[in-house]
Amino acid sequence: MVYRSDRRQPEGAARQALRHTLRNTALAGLLLLGGAAPALALMSPQVYASAREGAKSVIVVAVEGVTLTPRAFGTCAVAGTVKVVERGEAYTVGQKVTLDIPCAKPNALPPLGGTIYQETEKLQAAKFGRAYLDADGKLVLSQYFQLEALP
């Protein structure tokens, strides 16, 4: 081992400590991201529950197609047919709809905030989705849930 004359750590120890710190930081970041999947929502669950309760329309859609954003994250268009109207009078069973759903590709790092980004692969694989919509037909606080079967 080579020691410096100024009594600091050995030359290799500084590099090893830096590597150790970087590795731990990377692992902590992965754990943080993995624990927050599928979304990095920063609002309390009560805020989202309140948005669902206040939605003017709640519909279940049979997904017929998903148009992905060309970017790492953004808005995906989910096209389908209304199968169930759980709340509201703006939609009817059998009606064709296209919903704008926040989405992100695998390994994308969307900005932190209240938006819940759906994973594009899961969005495409889902056969049905439940959407909570405002009076203008827009999703309220990203409240869209993929369903395997009709409720």
Side-chain angles (χ1 to χ4, degrees), residues 94-146:
Q95 181 178 350
K96 298 286 187 184
V97 295
T98 300
L99 304 169
D100 292 332
I101 310 296
C103 61
K105 294 179 181 173
N107 302 320
L109 295 173
L112 295 177
T115 302
I116 299 173
Y117 292 89
Q118 304 286 322
E119 294 178 18
T120 54
E121 292 172 356
K122 291 181 181 179
L123 197 59
Q124 288 181 302
K127 299 197 183 307
F128 301 95
R130 177 179 285 122
Y132 294 81
L133 307 167
D134 64 15
D136 296 326
K138 305 286 185 212
L139 213 56
V140 293
L141 286 182
S142 315
Q143 296 303 287
Y144 178 83
F145 299 91
Q146 299 140 14

Side-chain angles (χ1 to χ4, degrees), residues 48-60 82-93 95 130-135 137 140 143 145 151:
Y48 296 108
S50 178
R52 288 190 299 274
E53 289 171 14
K56 298 295 181 197
S57 298
V58 180
I59 58 174
V60 176
V82 176
K83 292 295 183 182
V84 179
V85 176
E86 295 181 344
R87 183 185 313 154
E89 297 178 12
Y91 297 90
T92 58
V93 173
Q95 181 178 350
R130 177 179 285 122
Y132 294 81
L133 307 167
D134 64 15
V140 293
Q143 296 303 287
F145 299 91

Side-chain angles (χ1 to χ4, degrees), residues 3 10 18-20 25 27 32 38 53 63 70-71 73 81 85 91-92 94 104-105 110 117 124 129 138:
Y3 288 91
L18 177 60
R19 246 184 274 131
H20 181 73
T25 302
L27 285 173
L32 175 66
E53 289 171 14
V63 177
R71 301 181 329 206
F73 63 90
T81 302
V85 176
Y91 297 90
T92 58
K105 294 179 181 173
Y117 292 89
Q124 288 181 302
K138 305 286 185 212

Side-chain angles (χ1 to χ4, degrees), residues 11-27:
E11 278 183 39
R15 275 190 235 143
Q16 186 176 8
L18 177 60
R19 246 184 274 131
H20 181 73
T21 301
L22 290 174
R23 184 184 72 220
N24 286 345
T25 302
L27 285 173

